[in-house]
Amino acid sequence: MKNGIENKVIAITGASSGIGKATAELLAAQGAKVVLGARREDRLKTIVETIEQNGGEATFLEIDVTRREDVAKLTALAVERFGRLDVMINNAGISQLYKMEELDVDGWEQMIDVNLKGTLYGIAAALPIFKEQGCGHIINVISTAGISIVPTMGVYAGTKNAVRTITEALRQESQGRWRVTGISPGYVATEFASNIKNEDVRNTIQQNADQMAIPAEAVASAIAYAIEQPENVDIGDVVIRPSVQG
């Protein structure tokens, strides 16, 4: 019996590590055909080879989500290779955490470009395909940042709350033509902290993660749950975090 995931064609950004990698591996194991995009081509190649060795179907493309044409090429690859696109998972994200007064304007712009514009580019790349097909599923990986506002996370949470708002608007606008899901993880055991330039904040985030982080596979399972539902069931908003996280 089909599991609601088998044979679906699923594109994933930020797929070279963490939540994206875990999601790709889980979905492929359940019979999905996965199309992986990220900047680190060597890692993508290894992930695809592992999936194929385990009997799954996968392909990849080196992309930068801050370039609209790159994201469009990812969805085009899905259609070219597998004939359609069923799910677009906008997972790529980055954080630079400073107090506002420290004026990390470069960090602000980086987060806006990756977290917000990158997600919008993913939506823009998928929707024309979904409109032509008459169905599809957008999944945006957001964050618990924004649900709870804390110092140093103002702009990061701002980009994530922008995505949260866009996700809900898109869900309402779809009127059943496509499904829309927001996934908001808390502390997850990924490379998230390693990209933070602020050493004090990076160390604090990493210490918290070391103490409580859930595995990326837990988030992947939540994503799979949303995908496997019947087409008339839309899992709108999922918050998944360690049980001890405040």
Side-chain angles (χ1 to χ4, degrees):
M1 187 173 68
K2 291 187 68 174
N3 58 15
I5 293 174
E6 187 177 355
N7 291 323
K8 283 189 173 177
V9 180
I10 302 174
I12 309 171
T13 67
S16 62
S17 65
I19 293 170
K21 175 178 180 289
T23 300
E25 292 173 340
L26 176 62
L27 295 175
Q30 295 186 16
K33 302 169 183 178
V34 295
V35 183
L36 311 183
R39 292 178 298 173
R40 294 177 290 189
E41 184 177 13
D42 56 335
R43 291 199 180 192
L44 291 173
K45 186 174 185 292
T46 299
I47 295 166
V48 167
E49 287 174 350
T50 300
I51 288 172
E52 291 177 338
Q53 288 167 6
N54 291 327
E57 293 186 74
T59 188
F60 73 91
L61 185 67
E62 180 184 355
I63 68 166
D64 182 341
V65 297
T66 67
R67 295 198 292 258
R68 180 181 177 184
E69 61 273 18
D70 279 17
V71 188
K73 288 176 182 176
L74 185 69
T75 57
L77 175 62
V79 175
E80 177 186 339
R81 176 73 182 272
F82 299 118
R84 60 184 293 110
L85 175 68
D86 296 294
V87 186
M88 180 69 191
I89 302 177
N90 294 306
N91 169 68
I94 196 166
S95 67
Q96 296 301 343
L97 308 182
Y98 288 91
K99 291 182 179 179
M100 299 290 292
E101 67 193 69
E102 296 180 74
L103 299 180
D104 180 31
V105 178
D106 288 344
W108 300 351
E109 292 178 341
Q110 186 180 32
M111 288 184 286
I112 291 167
D113 287 345
V114 175
N115 301 348
L116 178 52
K117 293 172 69 175
T119 297
L120 287 170
Y121 292 159
I123 292 169
L127 284 187
I129 300 170
F130 292 173
K131 289 174 73 174
E132 183 176 348
Q133 293 175 170
C135 63
H137 194 170
I138 296 279
I139 298 178
N140 294 330
V141 178
I142 311 175
S143 174
T144 53
I147 296 174
S148 176
I149 308 298
V150 297
T152 75
M153 289 196 181
V155 178
Y156 175 68
T159 62
K160 292 298 186 177
N161 272 340
V163 172
R164 201 182 315 277
T165 299
I166 290 163
T167 302
E168 174 59 14
L170 181 61
R171 185 193 68 80
Q172 293 186 32
E173 290 174 4
S174 77
Q175 297 181 320
R177 290 174 294 166
W178 46 78
R179 297 188 292 171
V180 185
T181 300
I183 303 284
S184 293
Y187 280 101
V188 180
T190 68
E191 299 173 5
F192 176 84
S194 64
N195 293 313
I196 298 173
K197 294 182 296 184
N198 186 327
E199 184 176 359
D200 291 338
V201 174
R202 182 176 67 246
N203 290 339
T204 299
I205 295 288
Q206 189 61 61
Q207 288 171 8
N208 288 339
D210 291 343
Q211 292 172 3
M212 70 174 81
I214 59 177
E217 289 76 11
V219 183
S221 294
I223 292 172
Y225 174 76
I227 294 171
E228 70 186 359
Q229 300 307 305
E231 291 301 318
N232 65 337
V233 176
D234 192 339
I235 304 299
D237 192 15
V238 177
V239 178
I240 178 167
R241 57 191 163 203
S243 56
V244 299
Q245 182 177 337

